[in-house]
């Protein structure tokens, strides 16, 4: 029996046999109301096709509380069978012996092979977590604002992405104060801004780290062997994000706090206070509300480029706890939720994107997820452009960096000072660089 966080590997409630002979699978996940309804529908479809199985769902807000929720359940010997999990926690719980290894299920075909960008391995090299979705950072924009000021729309093609200087210039044209001055005008008063050129829901890790890679640097090399944040190119890329707030004054103040980013793009578009909004592809399921509720015309584009055009993958993983009493039945449901073929209704909403490579190259499969009203033509083009362009997606290093949580505990303690302009990225992050490298190397 493996060592665990104070509980027996096989001692949790896991799946229990109900009085009427039905089997119950405990499924913990986070979602907003829109995604909750989508997942409830998928679970209901599974129950209908699998008589005798009940899926007991527990849903919490998408605000980072999944970490404390699971920790509480683990300490009380009350883990579910399947759960969403914060990326940085997968390796920790795998090391504790609480997660079910998925390697055999992938080898024998029970679970289809997934994109490397959504596959999480433990320190032992085994696979313990898979992303339900291949989430990507995208640029949402309000077409009505662009039309009003006669500004050309951003491209949905990686090849034609705006360069950074062009992006900043356009942000200035679309940042307006109470007197109608733009951020490009001498008389502009930033304290009286009524419309911003761009905004971020948050400056949590994946919301800004793509810039380090886009500028020719990074955080950690793709093979996990090299620390890259101390490179000039990495710090300069992060500084360009900070300059949007402090130097260019084209974005409202934002911090690194992880708040729910599901359902924020539609609110930004409806507000009319923001011309562009950087957030994840998960908001494709919500941004359509801007059109339905307020008749706002919106578009979806690729992020601006620096040295190159890059986005970042941030698809949340799901894990299977080996405390389950019936691993075969639990694994079957896990495989179902991981199979793009089984969850096309979810994919069509844009809440998830396919987690297998062939779903971005096979026209028949593309049609299955990119044909609904939520996946507009420009959104489809942006997603396919990223996924089919070499090196255009930087994997969030949390997926492959064993000591990521320790590294981020150091950087997260100071990163907001970069966003507020208390110092440059080189100064602020340079001050804790040795500590971060030590965490990476330990």
């Amino acid at each position: 029996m493996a060592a665990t966080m104070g509980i027996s590997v096989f001692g949790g409630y896991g799946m229990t046999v109900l009085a009427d002979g039905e089997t119950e699978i405990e499924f913990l996940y986070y979602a907003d109301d829109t995604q909750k309804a989508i997942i409830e529908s998928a679970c209901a479809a599974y129950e209908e096709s699998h008589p005798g199985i009940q899926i007991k769902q527990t849903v919490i807000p998408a605000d980072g509380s999944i970490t404390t929720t699971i920790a509480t359940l683990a300490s009380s010997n009350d883990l579910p069978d399947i759960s969403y999990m914060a990326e940085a926690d997968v390796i920790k719980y795998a090391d504790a012996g609480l997660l079910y290894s998925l390697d055999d299920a992938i080898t024998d075909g029970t679970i289809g092979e997934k994109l490397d960008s959504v596959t999480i391995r433990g320190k032992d090299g085994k696979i313990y977590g898979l992303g339900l979705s291949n989430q990507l950072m995208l640029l949402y924009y309000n077409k009505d604002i662009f039309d009003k000021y006669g500004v050309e729309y951003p491209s949905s093609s990686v090849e034609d992405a705006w360069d950074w200087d062009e992006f900043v210039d356009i942000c200035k044209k679309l940042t307006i104060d109470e007197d109608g001055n733009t951020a490009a005008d001498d008389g502009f008063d930033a304290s009286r801004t009524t419309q911003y050129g761009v905004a971020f829901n948050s400056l949590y890790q994946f919301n800004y780290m793509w810039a380090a890679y886009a500028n020719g640097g990074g955080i950690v090399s793709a093979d996990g062997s090299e620390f890259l944040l101390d490179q000039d190119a990495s710090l300069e890329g992060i500084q360009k994000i900070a300059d949007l707030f402090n130097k260019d004054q084209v974005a409202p103040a934002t911090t690194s706090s992880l708040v729910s980013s599901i359902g924020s793009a539609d609110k930004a578009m409806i507000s009319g206070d923001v011309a562009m909004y950087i957030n994840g592809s998960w908001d494709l399921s919500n941004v359509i509300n801007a059109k339905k509720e307020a008749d706002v015309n919106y578009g979806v584009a690729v992020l601006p480029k620096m040295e190159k055009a890059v986005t970042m993958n941030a698809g949340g993983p799901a894990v299977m706890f080996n405390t389950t009493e019936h691993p075969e039945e639990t694994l079957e449901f896990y495989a179902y939720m991981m199979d793009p073929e089984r969850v096309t209704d979810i994919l069509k909403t844009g809440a998830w994107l396919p987690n297998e490579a062939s779903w971005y190259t096979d026209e028949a499969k593309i049609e299955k997820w990119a044909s609904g009203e939520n996946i507009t033509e420009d959104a489809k083009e942006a997603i396919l452009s990223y996924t089919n362009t070499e090196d255009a997606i930087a994997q969030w290093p949390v997926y492959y960096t064993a000591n990521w949580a320790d590294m981020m505990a150091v950087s997260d303690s100071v990163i907001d000072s970069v966003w507020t302009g208390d110092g440059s990225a080189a100064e602020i992050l340079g001050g804790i660089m040795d500590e971060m490298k030590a965490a990476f190397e330990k």
Side-chain angles (χ1 to χ4, degrees):
M1 186 175 296
T4 69
M5 296 179 177
I7 69 174
S8 165
V9 170
F10 303 104
Y13 63 66
M15 190 191 313
T16 58
V17 178
L18 307 182
D20 60 4
E22 291 191 328
T23 302
E24 184 178 80
I25 299 175
E26 298 272 351
F27 180 27
L28 170 66
Y29 62 94
Y30 52 78
D32 70 341
D33 289 342
T34 299
Q35 293 202 17
K36 178 175 179 286
I38 293 167
I39 294 170
E40 285 177 341
S41 177
C43 290
Y46 185 84
E47 291 174 337
E48 184 175 351
S49 62
H50 293 75
I53 298 292
Q54 286 191 7
I55 310 300
K56 181 181 179 182
Q57 301 169 62
T58 300
V59 59
I60 62 175
D63 58 3
S65 59
I66 190 72
T67 292
T68 54
T69 299
I70 292 175
T72 299
L73 293 171
S75 66
S76 61
N77 193 23
D78 204 25
L79 286 165
D81 299 289
I82 294 172
S83 176
Y84 284 16
M85 179 172 281
E87 289 86 345
D89 289 340
V90 175
I91 295 175
K92 177 178 72 175
Y93 281 94
D95 283 352
L98 286 173
L99 300 186
Y100 188 94
S101 170
L102 304 169
D103 294 79
D104 289 345
I106 293 173
T107 299
D108 67 20
T110 299
I111 298 174
E113 186 173 355
K114 306 304 175 188
L115 294 163
D116 286 341
S117 59
V118 297
T119 300
I120 304 183
R121 292 176 170 80
K123 293 178 181 178
D124 58 5
K126 293 182 179 180
I127 298 172
Y128 291 101
L130 294 171
L132 291 153
S133 171
N134 178 38
Q135 306 282 24
L136 304 173
M137 300 306 297
L138 297 171
L139 180 68
Y140 298 88
Y141 63 97
N142 187 319
K143 289 184 175 181
D144 297 332
I145 291 177
F146 274 70
D147 292 344
K148 178 179 179 180
Y149 293 94
V151 177
E152 186 176 351
Y153 299 154
S155 175
S156 296
S157 168
V158 168
E159 183 179 354
D160 298 321
W162 283 339
D163 64 38
W164 191 258
D165 289 341
E166 183 180 11
F167 169 65
V168 172
D169 286 345
I170 291 170
C171 285
K172 288 181 178 180
K173 291 177 182 178
L174 297 175
T175 299
I176 315 294
D177 69 13
E178 291 177 357
D179 296 324
N181 296 311
T182 75
D185 297 331
D186 291 337
F188 175 72
D189 185 349
S191 68
R192 301 168 66 225
T193 300
T194 59
Q195 175 182 292
Y196 287 97
V198 67
F200 296 75
N201 167 261
S202 164
L203 285 170
Y204 187 66
Q205 298 164 18
F206 47 74
N207 295 90
Y208 75 88
M209 288 182 177
W210 59 270
Y213 291 90
N215 205 50
I219 311 298
V220 176
S221 62
D223 62 2
S225 66
E226 186 180 359
F227 184 81
L228 302 178
L229 181 59
D230 57 352
Q231 295 183 359
D232 289 344
S234 305
L235 295 170
E236 289 167 3
I238 293 171
Q239 186 61 47
K240 288 178 179 179
I241 298 292
D243 285 346
L244 295 173
F245 305 95
N246 306 302
K247 175 186 174 184
D248 306 315
Q249 299 182 313
V250 296
T254 312
T255 71
S256 60
S257 297
L258 178 60
V259 296
S260 177
S261 58
I262 300 174
S264 58
D266 55 326
K267 295 179 178 64
M269 296 297 101
I270 290 172
S271 74
D273 298 335
V274 174
M276 291 176 280
Y277 194 76
I278 295 175
N279 202 27
S281 56
W282 50 81
D283 237 356
L284 290 170
S285 64
N286 292 281
V287 72
I288 192 171
N289 293 329
K291 180 65 176 177
K292 290 182 174 180
E293 297 176 9
D295 198 29
V296 174
N297 294 301
Y298 68 90
V300 182
V302 296
L303 301 173
K305 66 182 178 182
M306 296 179 185
E307 292 298 316
K308 54 185 178 180
V310 172
T311 188
M312 179 160 277
N313 168 277
V319 299
M320 176 176 160
F321 289 101
N322 60 15
T323 51
T324 180
E325 296 176 356
H326 298 280
E328 290 184 9
E329 293 89 342
T330 302
L331 181 61
E332 185 177 359
F333 175 62
Y334 184 94
Y336 175 92
M337 294 298 289
M338 284 292 167
D339 184 358
E341 194 70 59
R342 303 285 190 176
V343 293
T344 54
D345 286 346
I346 298 179
L347 298 178
K348 286 180 180 179
T349 69
W352 296 359
L353 296 179
N355 56 13
E356 295 181 4
S358 64
W359 285 71
Y360 299 96
T361 55
D362 184 312
E363 289 296 333
K365 291 182 177 179
I366 291 172
E367 182 67 17
K368 290 182 179 181
W369 63 268
S371 58
E373 62 177 352
N374 291 26
I375 310 293
T376 55
E377 279 301 312
D378 53 6
K380 174 183 174 182
E381 181 183 358
I383 293 163
L384 292 178
S385 185
Y386 273 133
T387 54
N388 293 320
T389 300
E390 187 175 2
D391 297 328
I393 300 176
Q395 186 181 18
W396 187 14
V398 66
Y399 282 91
Y400 56 84
T401 306
N403 299 321
W404 184 256
D406 293 334
M407 291 171 58
M408 292 302 100
V410 177
S411 71
D412 288 351
S413 68
V414 301
I415 191 67
D416 278 340
S417 293
V418 177
W419 309 137
T420 56
D422 293 340
S424 69
E427 292 167 344
I428 300 296
L429 295 177
I432 49 91
M433 200 66 72
D434 288 344
E435 191 177 355
M436 278 195 71
K437 290 180 72 174
F440 170 74
E441 293 169 354
K442 73 177 183 180

